[in-house]
Amino acid sequence: MSELFLAVLNRSISAGWIVLAVLVLRLLLHKAPAWSRVALWALVAVRLVCPFSVESVLSLLPSGETISTRILTEQVPSVNTGVPLLDGVLNPILGESLAPHAGDSVNPLQVLVPVLAVLWLAGGAALLAYGVVRYAGLARKVSTAVRLRDSIYQTERVNFPFVQGFLKPKIYVPFSVDPQEAEYVIAHEQAHVRRGDHLWKLVGFLLLAVYWFHPLLWAAYGLFCRDLEFACDQRVVKDLAPSQRADYSQALLNCSGGRHKLGAVPLAFGEVGVRQRVKTILSYKKPRVWIIAGAAVVLAAAAVCLLTDPLGKDISDLDDQLQVFLGMQVAEHNRSQSREVDFSAISYDVMDIQESGGETTLYAWIYYVEYNRQDGQLEKVSASHVPTVITARKEGSQYQLVEYWTPGDGRRFQEDIQEKFPRRLWARAMDGQRSVEKQKAECEAMAEEWLQEEMKNSQWDVIPMVMVDGLYYYSTGREAAPGDGAPEGEITSTVDGTQIPQEDDQSNFGEGFPYRYGEEGTLQVQMNGKWMVFEHREGTGSQVRFGDRWIDSYGLSEETLEWLAWYNSLPEEEQLAVSYIPPQVYERLGLGGDGTEDADAPAAGD
Amino acid sequence: MDTPKVFESEYRFCLILWEHEPIKSSELVKLCKEQLGWKPTTTYTVIKRLSERGVVQNDHTVVTSLVSKDQVQAAEIQEMVDKTFEGSLPAFIAAFTKHQKISDAELDAVQEMIDRYRKGGTP
């Protein structure tokens, strides 16, 4: 019940914005036929009736949901009107007056909202009851009305002409109206019936009973009724000669309490100004085509801008720092502990983002996938697709995790989701099929892109190497026997993996690694508990790729370098099929007639 | 004897009665349906009300009148307006105009507008 009330409240707030817009637009349509203004009010009705709405970038509404359904459980209640100025005024007030104090057993809103919901029901029921009673009373009164012709009746029991009945509407005219005037009155009422006004007014009244608490909607209903009368007048007058228009106006004047003034009566709800109507009737001209066209354009634009909601939330709505923080949280919660992973990707299907009380909560289906790189391809290692709720709070300049929630398994899945998610998101939160393909594709694309970059970059990554005592030592990939040798030094600085170390005790793969000298010309560097052999070679340190190996590039001839550039541009299969390798390259690989072949040399068609 | 009050709709009923009396009430109901558009319940209610007021009498389902046409025409046919209903029409009823407190000044102004228009001027 509280949720329903909050939904109604939200919808009425949206409708309120539309009413304001319509009030402005009515001025634009002042010269246009009255039915165009009635159509504007129809827009308001559509917004109030339709349970769903389409999102569009053209929406002029400030917010799709001003009052979050989480407001009942929040530490500091707040609203999101979509208008920063309003939020800035409202939220501090709400925070002060409605935030639970320490020692309270319950959030004041949890008491207040249900009470308001009950009041809302009561108000609506009262208004409906009033309508029913009045309607029944009127029906009883005119039960003795005498038929004039067709569905037109005359009665002495009321002194105003009107239409009653919804399925088979009947027109009632007082006996006191003289026959000539009666014809105009009847024509007007018949126009009402033809336009279906008796039904539209009923719809309006029902809507008013639901949304009775919003003052703008009462104004809207009043103006709607007014515009209906004008539209009816225009419809009747369209076919009347000028002298007939004067007669029609006279009838209107007489019926408004002129000649038939039977005592002063209070202004009825939504009264229609006689003067304005007569003025409109007497000055009515058939509207020109361009005015009608203009009105149509205004209506269409209004429909698009006012009936659509602002775009739904996306992960990019959050600030960069938060996005990074969330990514880290996701990775941490989903990472497979057992092994190293080359690349992981995350895709968010955002269901909602709620911000309140300094905390941001993300409701999303999170697709997390891990890849390992094998032979230049990415192999999917593991993947998960889970509806997740993450709450983060900004403290100072950092974000802190408040909660990382995922549902339980089996039967608990549905129960947990229904407990955690707002009702309007339940369906979406339980339906994984909806977005999984899209998210999978998104991640795959990210992985591909990463791989391409890696392939490209690894052309520029040089072989791991260190400089010690002015000499270059290159990684061989071989592990040394542990031995007893104590470390003799430590790598104290590092450069980027694409660069050559320039200083002593510097590497291009990291720092903090102890080293010791090994057998002739080798250095052993302790990494991950193992002593890895690094080999000294002359040269400037610059290297060039050869397939997936590195060779020193000093002293290589232009032709060799060109050949290498060509070779490196080939895909792997073609590289393996190449039969000729320049002698200089052979040398560097350590391949030669003496059989000291390097175990990792690519098979080169030998 | 004071002629009892008869309202306009009741007068129309009496016209039918005067033409066809004495008449069985069920026949009367049929006639009222044809000529006045009244539901049977309405006709019975009116018969009852009028007999209470001494305008008609219903003797074992045969209805006759107690006053004559001349008598009723002499007395003024009243218009009864229920004060509680004035102006406050249920919001969803379509009406020609809400009965409103139109001031004399407003009345005159609008009348002038109409008169001017008739004479060929702008409203």
Side-chain angles (χ1 to χ4, degrees):
Chain A
M1 182 44 59
S2 296
E3 272 203 42
L4 178 63
F5 172 62
L6 285 177
V8 164
L9 197 54
N10 269 320
R11 220 156 327 134
S12 74
I13 293 175
S14 304
W17 293 117
I18 302 182
V19 170
L20 285 176
V22 167
L23 288 176
V24 169
L25 288 176
R26 276 178 91 246
L27 299 175
L28 268 182
L29 292 179
H30 185 59
K31 292 289 181 209
W35 58 257
S36 64
R37 294 196 289 279
V38 174
L40 279 181
W41 295 120
L43 291 182
V44 177
V46 167
R47 167 59 69 160
L48 289 174
V49 168
C50 265
F52 56 83
S53 38
V54 175
E55 287 170 11
S56 112
V57 74
L58 293 169
S59 171
L60 284 180
L61 291 185
S63 159
E65 188 191 58
T66 303
I67 301 178
S68 145
T69 38
R70 284 183 85 240
I71 200 173
L72 291 176
T73 54
E74 276 159 11
Q75 277 295 105
V76 182
S78 64
V79 296
N80 176 21
T81 61
V83 179
L85 200 65
L86 260 185
D87 285 344
V89 167
L90 288 174
N91 285 331
I93 300 175
L94 282 174
E96 260 184 50
S97 52
L98 292 176
H101 302 294
D104 278 358
S105 57
V106 79
N107 181 338
L109 274 181
Q110 285 186 343
V111 172
L112 185 62
V113 169
V115 169
L116 288 179
V118 169
L119 282 178
W120 162 65
L121 273 183
L127 196 54
L128 279 177
Y130 170 84
V132 167
V133 165
R134 282 306 203 185
Y135 186 87
L138 195 57
R140 212 175 31 244
K141 273 198 153 357
V142 296
S143 56
T144 60
V146 169
R147 184 174 57 219
L148 179 62
R149 62 171 193 269
D150 303 323
S151 309
I152 304 161
Y153 290 73
Q154 287 174 298
T155 178
E156 78 280 3
R157 302 301 294 270
V158 289
N159 54 6
F160 40 76
F162 63 97
V163 174
Q164 205 206 33
F166 300 110
L167 294 176
K168 287 207 281 264
K170 299 197 178 99
I171 298 173
Y172 294 92
V173 181
F175 276 119
S176 55
V177 176
D178 52 63
Q180 189 46 48
E181 284 179 6
E183 283 313 307
Y184 290 117
V185 165
I186 290 168
H188 176 97
E189 298 301 341
Q190 279 174 330
H192 268 315
V193 171
R194 259 202 308 274
R195 290 173 39 93
D197 289 349
H198 53 297
L199 293 171
W200 300 133
K201 285 188 85 163
L202 179 63
V203 168
F205 183 72
L206 290 175
L207 286 176
L208 203 54
V210 172
Y211 295 96
W212 60 268
F213 49 84
H214 198 313
L216 276 181
L217 293 183
W218 286 81
Y221 185 71
L223 288 172
F224 164 67
C225 289
R226 197 189 148 102
D227 288 335
L228 271 185
E229 295 305 325
F230 278 84
C232 246
D233 284 339
Q234 286 181 348
R235 184 149 180 174
V236 172
V237 160
K238 190 168 67 176
D239 302 322
L240 293 184
S243 67
Q244 290 176 311
R245 291 192 196 177
D247 294 335
Y248 179 85
S249 304
Q250 191 68 54
L252 179 53
L253 186 58
N254 293 342
C255 282
S256 314
R259 213 169 60 212
H260 303 285
K261 187 157 64 168
L262 292 156
V265 298
L267 279 176
F269 161 94
E271 109 299 341
V272 182
V274 173
R275 187 184 225 165
Q276 199 55 38
R277 277 176 72 184
V278 169
K279 187 147 176 244
T280 309
I281 291 160
L282 294 178
S283 62
Y284 175 79
K285 276 195 282 280
K286 196 161 150 69
R288 304 238 275 284
V289 174
W290 65 268
I291 289 190
I292 297 188
V297 166
V298 169
L299 284 176
V304 168
C305 294
L306 299 177
L307 288 186
T308 54
D309 275 341
L311 287 179
K313 317 271 179 69
D314 182 67
I315 196 76
S316 53
D317 289 345
L318 300 172
D319 70 69
D320 290 344
Q321 188 192 9
L322 183 53
Q323 284 185 50
V324 169
F325 177 76
L326 289 174
M328 278 167 43
Q329 298 305 315
V330 173
E332 209 164 291
H333 275 81
N334 289 287
R335 189 161 51 204
S336 27
Q337 303 297 335
S338 53
R339 50 176 162 251
E340 290 276 327
V341 149
D342 287 327
F343 180 71
S344 62
I346 305 174
S347 165
Y348 302 90
D349 179 44
V350 175
M351 293 183 261
D352 195 17
I353 296 176
Q354 290 182 3
E355 280 163 40
S356 89
E359 290 182 356
T360 307
T361 303
L362 172 73
Y363 297 82
W365 273 95
I366 298 189
Y367 188 84
Y368 176 83
V369 58
E370 291 174 334
Y371 296 93
N372 265 338
R373 190 168 158 187
Q374 302 265 51
D375 303 323
Q377 304 268 27
L378 281 181
E379 300 262 317
K380 195 190 294 191
V381 163
S382 73
S384 67
H385 190 225
V386 181
T388 314
V389 182
I390 311 179
T391 309
R393 157 187 291 281
K394 187 143 189 193
E395 261 157 39
S397 63
Q398 301 288 353
Y399 278 98
Q400 301 290 339
L401 182 69
V402 173
E403 187 191 25
Y404 190 103
W405 178 99
T406 51
D409 288 327
R411 211 185 52 220
R412 291 234 45 130
F413 183 80
Q414 181 162 325
E415 285 171 18
D416 287 350
I417 288 192
Q418 291 189 348
E419 227 177 81
K420 185 70 175 167
F421 279 74
R423 180 180 286 262
R424 67 192 155 82
L425 293 178
W426 283 0
R428 200 163 158 195
M430 293 196 268
D431 176 21
Q433 292 309 309
R434 203 183 112 133
S435 60
V436 67
E437 291 304 317
K438 182 176 74 142
Q439 289 180 280
K440 231 200 285 200
E442 237 172 75
C443 286
E444 231 132 85
M446 282 194 266
E448 271 306 309
E449 208 182 295
W450 175 83
L451 189 61
Q452 294 303 328
E453 273 305 299
E454 278 294 293
M455 300 293 263
K456 222 170 15 142
N457 285 341
S458 62
Q459 288 184 20
W460 307 112
D461 259 4
V462 297
I463 195 171
M465 56 191 287
V466 302
M467 176 188 262
V468 172
D469 269 344
L471 297 179
Y472 287 117
Y473 295 85
Y474 300 84
S475 166
T476 61
R478 293 197 303 269
E479 191 183 335
D484 289 330
E488 295 170 56
E490 190 179 297
I491 308 297
T492 53
S493 61
T494 183
V495 294
D496 188 67
T498 60
Q499 318 227 315
I500 314 277
Q502 303 295 326
E503 293 170 14
D504 271 349
D505 292 350
Q506 190 172 69
S507 82
N508 58 5
F509 54 83
E511 63 192 35
F513 303 109
Y515 65 81
R516 68 187 182 198
Y517 284 101
E519 289 149 7
E520 271 208 28
T522 66
L523 195 72
Q524 292 172 3
V525 181
Q526 190 180 38
M527 307 197 312
N528 290 336
K530 299 187 266 201
W531 289 99
M532 306 302 293
V533 177
F534 282 65
E535 180 174 84
H536 166 66
R537 290 203 285 273
E538 292 295 332
T540 57
S542 60
Q543 301 148 46
V544 65
R545 270 197 79 200
F546 172 57
D548 54 0
R549 306 191 45 164
W550 292 92
I551 54 177
D552 302 325
S553 65
Y554 89 97
L556 287 182
S557 65
E558 278 292 334
E559 294 131 346
T560 308
L561 287 172
E562 270 173 32
W563 181 93
L564 280 168
W566 164 80
Y567 181 86
N568 285 326
S569 70
L570 298 175
E572 214 176 302
E573 311 89 70
E574 287 184 38
Q575 284 182 352
L576 294 173
V578 165
S579 51
Y580 165 76
I581 298 185
Q584 284 186 316
V585 176
Y586 256 115
E587 260 175 54
R588 300 289 158 87
L589 286 177
L591 295 171
D594 61 357
T596 50
E597 283 188 18
D598 201 281
D600 295 87
D606 225 346
Chain B
M1 171 177 96
D2 249 343
T3 315
K5 277 204 201 94
V6 171
F7 299 111
E8 181 69 36
S9 55
E10 292 162 342
Y11 180 70
R12 305 286 180 103
F13 167 81
C14 289
L15 285 173
I16 298 177
L17 181 60
W18 287 320
E19 209 185 303
H20 293 96
E21 63 169 331
I23 179 172
K24 278 229 279 280
S25 54
S26 49
E27 294 280 319
L28 199 46
V29 162
K30 240 197 306 219
L31 285 174
C32 287
K33 177 86 178 111
E34 276 165 40
Q35 298 184 27
L36 303 177
W38 281 6
K39 294 206 292 270
T41 42
T42 308
T43 310
Y44 283 118
T45 309
V46 170
I47 293 175
K48 179 151 180 270
R49 234 185 12 228
L50 287 179
S51 56
E52 273 164 19
R53 236 185 283 153
V55 178
V56 307
Q57 75 179 5
N58 186 1
D59 193 8
H60 294 94
T61 79
V62 174
V63 185
T64 50
S65 67
L66 293 176
V67 291
S68 76
K69 191 169 180 176
D70 298 325
Q71 282 174 298
V72 171
Q73 279 182 333
E76 269 176 33
I77 296 170
Q78 300 272 342
E79 236 183 61
M80 182 191 95
V81 176
D82 190 330
K83 296 272 184 257
T84 63
F85 241 119
E86 279 165 358
S88 55
L89 207 53
F92 43 84
I93 300 291
F96 187 60
T97 173
K98 295 300 192 312
H99 210 97
Q100 55 195 0
K101 192 179 192 170
I102 185 166
S103 67
D104 284 335
E106 186 91 342
L107 206 66
D108 292 338
V110 179
Q111 188 64 63
E112 205 185 278
M113 220 193 286
I114 299 175
D115 294 337
R116 236 195 353 244
Y117 179 81
R118 280 196 208 273
K119 292 198 184 73
T122 47

